[in-house]
Amino acid sequence: MVAFWHFSEQLFTEMVAFWHFSEQLFTEAVLMTLIPFAWLRALSPWLRPLRALVARAWLREADVDQVLQWLHPAWRLNRVMALVCAREWVAEDMLALTLRGNGNARNWQPGQHVQLFVEQAGVRLSRSYSLIAVHADGRIELAIKRHAGGRLSNYLLDHLAVGEVLELGQASGTLHWPQQASSGVLLLAAGSGLTPLLGLLRQALAGGFNAPVTLLHYVRKRSQRAFSLELQGLLAQYPNLQVRWAISGEEAAGDELSGRFQASHLQGLTGSSLLLCGPHGFVASVREHWAGELQAETFSLPLAVSAASASATPLQLQFKRSQLQFSGDNLSSLLEQAEQHGLRPAHGCRQGICASCTCTLLSGVVRDVRSGALFNEPGQAIRICVSVPQGDVLVDL
Ligand code: FES
């Protein structure tokens, strides 16, 4: 049996070499036609034997991917590649994308988030985006908000074309529609925090949820009320739905609320379960005024330590596998400090969301800047993008 696998491995390696040679003989245009994109999803289950061989380290995933990629640029053994099918502006500064995956997405749900990767001039950029829809035919929807100076968001909004292929990470996140919500659900979103909540709202309404639902979206300008046409349509279709906007950068009119979140905005809103998504400051101030059931997701970090209230304390940082030790401080994250000293740890969102920077804490104490919680258990997994050392620290990196 072992001899057989050894022979298969050798054969496969030779096939890779042959295909690699052949690849140079054909143009990309010809290769694109070898397998239609629509087949990739249907063929994905047939790759299971190869996945098993890779899992046992009898084949290298990179070699398998090379062959699959030769057959179609979006085909991979495990990695999620997605074809851009449609683009639609849903606000002045937000673009909705419809993508079709290659069959490697595993149990994705609206309201979760995925990491999106784009390579530009040799630099791999990435950012986390929420899933607004996950269709049974493999299509998904994301929405990208423009960030001033944001390399990735500006590229996606201004240059990404229908027909291009992007890479996505696997979906993660636990935000979900409340199970016990007969007395109603309240959704509070600020800016692009609307996107996961809209995904859950669409799914709940389509699934027959008929208790009262109120969506309150905070924006700076009226032109940033994303998906307003769709929301008007949902309002007309579902009498249990109420949608309101709060405007902070223009004078509020009609039934709009004025300014950023304040406790009085909660008055008169029905719903005993609250779903909340927005920047850290927004989420923190709503939390202060809500005593009921709550799920929250935030997409920005609090300041690690207020510059006014803290001064840098020198400490020793040690990165075991990199055999690096240097003098650091208690003001910035382990990821930032490692990068400043030449390390290139794997990372994605830099916001504590995607888990791609997770490392093992071997000794010392770190503070998670999202919650303020301290971690000091040796062997504990920490996300180094949101972990600030509180003393000498040893990390398995
Ligand atoms: S980089 Fe995403 S959790 Fe740290």
Side-chain angles (χ1 to χ4, degrees), residues 115 126 128 335 345-358 370 382-387:
Q115 202 70 17
S126 80
S128 183
L335 175 61
H347 67 274
C349 64
R350 306 182 76 96
Q351 298 167 15
I353 298 172
C354 70
S356 48
C357 67
T358 302
R370 299 166 300 171
I382 55 169
R383 299 182 184 190
I384 59 171
C385 67
V386 289
S387 296

Side-chain angles (χ1 to χ4, degrees), residues 30-66:
V30 172
L31 298 177
M32 286 284 286
T33 63
L34 288 179
I35 288 190
F37 183 83
W39 290 14
L40 302 189
R41 206 158 162 264
L43 289 171
S44 182
W46 294 91
L47 299 178
R48 273 189 210 127
L50 289 176
R51 291 191 185 108
L53 292 176
V54 166
R56 287 168 177 76
W58 289 350
L59 283 180
R60 285 192 338 127
E61 183 168 347
D63 291 338
V64 180
D65 276 352
Q66 195 175 9

Side-chain angles (χ1 to χ4, degrees), residues 83-148:
L83 183 73
V84 181
C85 300
R87 321 168 18 113
E88 182 190 356
W89 289 99
V90 290
E92 174 190 75
D93 58 351
M94 192 182 282
L95 179 77
L97 292 179
T98 303
L99 309 172
R100 189 182 291 274
N102 62 357
N104 288 340
R106 316 238 189 275
N107 305 317
W108 290 10
Q109 297 294 328
Q112 289 188 300
H113 40 79
V114 293
Q115 202 70 17
L116 185 153
F117 303 93
V118 167
E119 194 154 321
Q120 263 199 307
V123 179
R124 192 165 154 93
L125 306 174
S126 80
R127 197 176 168 95
S128 183
Y129 293 102
S130 296
L131 292 165
I132 307 172
V134 180
H135 299 282
D137 62 2
R139 282 175 305 127
I140 58 159
E141 292 173 42
L142 309 172
I144 318 293
K145 186 174 164 64
R146 191 185 295 281
H147 290 277

